[in-house]
Amino acid sequence: MRASDLKRGIRPAPVCLLTGGDGYWTCYASQALTASVPVEDRDLRVDALDNPDVKDIVFSAGMPSLTGEGKYVVVTGRTSKLTKEEERALVEYCEDPAAENTLILCDEKGVFNCVKPYAAIIECAALDAQETKDYLYEYAAKLGLRIQPPAMALLCDYCNQDAGRASRELDKICDYAPEGGLVTQEIIKLLVAPDERAKAYELTSALSSGNKSAAAEYLTRLSASGVQSAAILRALASTYRGLLFLRISSLSDNEAAQALGVKTFAVKKMRPLAKKYSAVTLKALADGLNDLEYHFKSGKLSVDEALNLAICRIMGVRINV
């Protein structure tokens, strides 16, 4: 079962394993599973355990709630491998769980794989691009919003396909949308700020193609929105290190995204840009940007001088420091 398909208040099984590791969907699934508990009873019927030992998990899951009704035990933050003794204890509980209680294991690193044969598995990985749009269209409709397709594409782009951030932006847009709830690209541009990776990609793409006017526009927009030169330089350095990694790596999109700490969508977007360069050129650019970061941090250059030199080098102007 996908987290996005989970209905609020439904209890699929006494043990639920939330896999995939996406923060938004893991939180969404946890809230959906515990939605039947009235707000006034949550302290008595929902037990949240952060990075617990298995003995604490089993003890809490086996105890009745103080109200005598079904209890929910939500386990988060456990990333260290279970010992053999812990695996045995957890499997023993899952083989014969407390019928009235629900154990919810949020499993980011696969440490609870041993309970898969006994649990309802809820997939909490990030959705792909089209699935994210479909979910957000549905979410927007519940808010009374009608989003034009170009506006939805821009929203997803600005939020790097992060359904959590995009849904929060829709909550905000709901307060400012015109009568009838029609959301256009202009509204997205006005109300949604591109995150740092999206900003860096736009600037990097313009610089790599030698589009000086577009690069100048992005820089002006970044400055006007209060982004400091140091942050822009840091984003450029990070982006080119990522491009170098993608240029020389044979990892799949999902594996590369995990290694870089980004979403798969970001990797798919960066790959065409990485192919514009040779590995040698990307290595030189990444090293040069790292050097410029060092020069301004050590006081040899001002941060604005370092950023200007970075842009010149990316556009092919050879300037020595």
Side-chain angles (χ1 to χ4, degrees), residues 11 13-18 33 47 49 52 54 56-58 60-62 71-75 90 93-94 97-98 100-106 112 115 119-120:
R11 180 178 181 259
V15 180
C16 297
L17 181 64
L18 277 51
L33 290 168
D47 194 0
L49 305 180
V54 166
D56 296 323
I57 298 173
V58 171
S60 181
K71 174 182 178 182
Y72 293 81
V73 179
V74 183
V75 177
L90 191 56
Y93 171 81
C94 292
E100 69 280 7
N101 293 344
T102 305
L103 174 58
I104 302 170
L105 300 169
C106 302
F112 296 122
V115 309

Side-chain angles (χ1 to χ4, degrees), residues 136-137 140 145-160 165-174 176-178 181-195 198-199 202 221:
L136 292 173
Y137 276 124
L145 299 175
R146 295 182 297 114
I147 305 185
Q148 293 180 337
M152 177 61 77
L154 188 62
L155 174 65
C156 291
D157 206 23
Y158 275 10
C159 296
N160 271 323
R165 188 192 162 200
S167 60
R168 291 191 296 272
E169 294 292 349
L170 288 173
D171 290 336
K172 179 177 69 177
I173 289 169
C174 188
Y176 297 94
L182 182 65
V183 179
T184 64
Q185 277 188 310
E186 287 67 32
I187 291 176
I188 299 297
K189 290 177 181 178
L190 180 65
L191 297 178
V192 181
D195 72 10
K199 294 171 183 175
E202 289 176 342
R221 190 187 304 169

Side-chain angles (χ1 to χ4, degrees), residues 5 14 32 35 77 81 98 137 155 157 162 173 176 179 189 197 210 238 249 281 286 292 294 314:
D5 298 326
K81 186 178 179 180
Y137 276 124
L155 174 65
D157 206 23
D162 186 329
I173 289 169
Y176 297 94
E179 187 175 351
K189 290 177 181 178
R197 289 189 187 277
S238 174
S249 172
T281 299
L292 288 171
Y294 171 76
I314 293 169

